[in-house]
Amino acid sequence: MPKARRSNDWGFPRWRGYGSSREATTVRLCDRHGCEEPGDCPAPKAPNSPERWMFCQKHAAEYNQKWDYFEGLDKAEKEARAKAERSENAGYAEAQHYGWSGSGDGSRSADEMRALEVLELEADADFSAIKKGWREKAKTVHPDVKPGDKEAAAEFQKLQLAYEVLKAAEERREWKG
């Protein structure tokens, strides 16, 4: 009679990882004809349809490249859906100060980029350069320097607004724990 052997799964601690088993796992292949990669990315077959294609990551990206989420909706429905999506996803927005990114690497918003254009600065300018550029430009069009000049006052307001946008963005990036 063969000697009884103890199973690796018996008792504590469990020696094999959770979810590991000896059975074969079923892998769904990509729905693109001829692709042998695992299909683990669902993609809708039609707008507002529960049916899904299962593509590999490469083919899912190709499929979604020209996807219009709002296809078939009128203008009011599009706005309502977009508003609902923004409000639902707002909780998932990552705070700026938790990122590892710095200025000039694509982490600036469109408003910040427009503000940098107003101040005629590069996209990778740090805050000290922003402050210096703003002071130089503001000194030339300040209402105390050019009293009564409406164009200079409007330019100063534009510079001031650009600086405030960039200052608020810098404050968001700094973590004040």
Side-chain angles (χ1 to χ4, degrees), residues 108-122:
R108 292 195 188 269
S109 68
D111 291 334
E112 293 173 65
M113 294 305 292
R114 282 191 291 271
L116 287 169
E117 287 176 13
V118 168
L119 295 173
E120 296 175 3
L121 296 171
E122 297 293 321

Side-chain angles (χ1 to χ4, degrees), residues 6-15 18:
R6 191 168 139 192
S7 167
N8 284 343
D9 291 338
W10 182 83
F12 186 80
R14 188 178 170 114
W15 298 111
Y18 292 103

Side-chain angles (χ1 to χ4, degrees), residues 92-112:
Y92 297 107
E94 186 174 341
Q96 290 288 330
H97 58 264
Y98 285 123
W100 289 100
S101 56
S103 59
D105 60 356
S107 62
R108 292 195 188 269
S109 68
D111 291 334
E112 293 173 65

Side-chain angles (χ1 to χ4, degrees), residues 27-31 34-40 55-57 59:
V27 176
R28 182 171 177 158
L29 293 179
C30 180
D31 284 336
C35 183
E36 297 295 323
E37 297 291 317
D40 51 4
F55 291 127
C56 64
Q57 195 168 12
H59 291 123

Side-chain angles (χ1 to χ4, degrees), residues 50-112:
E51 296 180 20
R52 301 282 188 248
W53 295 106
M54 295 303 285
F55 291 127
C56 64
Q57 195 168 12
K58 176 185 164 201
H59 291 123
E62 183 182 304
Y63 179 80
N64 290 331
Q65 187 175 14
K66 296 186 180 177
W67 180 261
D68 184 10
Y69 183 69
F70 301 109
E71 184 179 347
L73 301 176
D74 64 6
K75 188 175 180 180
E77 289 174 329
K78 284 182 186 179
E79 290 173 6
R81 170 93 49 97
K83 184 179 178 184
E85 289 288 326
R86 280 193 302 271
S87 66
E88 290 172 9
N89 296 335
Y92 297 107
E94 186 174 341
Q96 290 288 330
H97 58 264
Y98 285 123
W100 289 100
S101 56
S103 59
D105 60 356
S107 62
R108 292 195 188 269
S109 68
D111 291 334
E112 293 173 65

